[in-house]
Amino acid sequence: MKEKVFVSRLIPDEGLALVLEAFDAEVWQDELPPPRPVLLEKIQDKVGLLSLLTDKIDAELMDLNPQLRVVSNYAVGFDNIDIPAATARGLPIGNTPGVLTDTTADFAFALLMASARNIVQGADYCRAGKWKTWGPKLLTGVDIHGATLGLVGFGRIGQAMAKRASGFGMHVLYYDQYRREDLEQSMGVTYADMDTLLRKSDFVSIHTDLNPTSYHLFNADVFAKMKPSAIVINTARGPLIDPVALYDALSSGKIRGAALDVTEPEPLPMDSPLHTLDNCLIVPHIASASIITRGKMAVMAAKNLIAGVTGEKLPTCVNPEVYEKGTRK
Ligand code: DGY
């Protein structure tokens, strides 16, 4: 008899096929995530959970079913999961690093370009029938070549963003708690402390993870240190930016613009004042959304799930220390 797992949303076929072949899988078919009580009920008779970043995986859920052997998250980020709680319970957590790096960096750079050069405003202008003639001052934006990009976070995606920026003739500064002197010369990037980066950058792109110390990292103090001409780009996690401080900075001209793939909360409610601002470009958390990448993420998530249920080490495990103490059986 096949073992039972729960898949909390329809994932691309490449990964789903592996899950369906290996397990007796219950797959949540709705467009919206399973409501919390439903998720809690669904996992009670399962040995594995393939979760999404929209599912809160906490101690309550882990304790409801001690037979749950693995949680495989369909994302590189895992701020939706209480990792210390999972580790304390011997529960391995999988994620999908690497495969989405370039796709996400492509998109972050697309947001940078779109906000610098008013691409969305231009499309809206044409669609609204406002295009009457060529105009010397029509929708003028700011140059990308020759500008300075500040990367906050210099992991895989930050580095991929730096490669794109150097191809566009930008100067690249980075701040990270781990300085990467080994990459500075070859990648043409310069380390800067956070204040220097904020002061010098024309574009600030966020590539750090969300944890208790980075929550609202971008707050009123930070926006006050940025150039009034600066544009901030966020493809990491919404709560890295304080939305009230961002609205104030954008509406008062403390900074020029923002381009957000992620918001706090998600989805951003329609009554959020950020929706009223022309200088705030918001898209629905789609930076990794290329067909190929989402398929690769599905395969990785499926392989982590299969490994966890069969008692193998997860190919990509967020908390490998669980293997020192012994995992749930
Ligand atoms: C992730 O993987 O963490 C992204 O936010 C979605 O792909």
Side-chain angles (χ1 to χ4, degrees), residues 94-95 97 300 302-308 312-317 323:
N95 72 337
M300 277 182 99
K303 288 186 174 168
N304 278 330
L305 184 73
I306 293 168
E312 304 288 322
K313 282 195 177 171
L314 309 196
T316 48
C317 185
Y323 296 111

Side-chain angles (χ1 to χ4, degrees), residues 53 75-77 96 100 236-237 285 288 294 297:
L53 53 83
V76 64
T96 64
L100 46 70
R237 283 292 181 266
H285 203 152
S288 70
R294 288 287 170 89
M297 288 168 65

Side-chain angles (χ1 to χ4, degrees), residues 13 25 29 58 62 75 110 112 139 169 191 221 238 292 297 308:
D13 290 346
Q29 306 280 333
D58 57 6
M62 296 169 199
L112 182 156
L139 288 167
Y191 178 81
D221 287 347
I292 288 185
M297 288 168 65

Side-chain angles (χ1 to χ4, degrees), residues 114-149:
S115 48
R117 297 299 307 275
N118 297 322
I119 291 177
V120 175
Q121 293 90 330
D124 287 348
Y125 186 85
C126 292
R127 208 185 290 269
K130 294 183 182 164
W131 188 11
K132 305 286 184 233
T133 183
W134 185 88
K137 292 187 175 178
L138 179 62
L139 288 167
T140 47
V142 292
D143 277 329
I144 294 156
H145 66 274
T148 296
L149 169 64

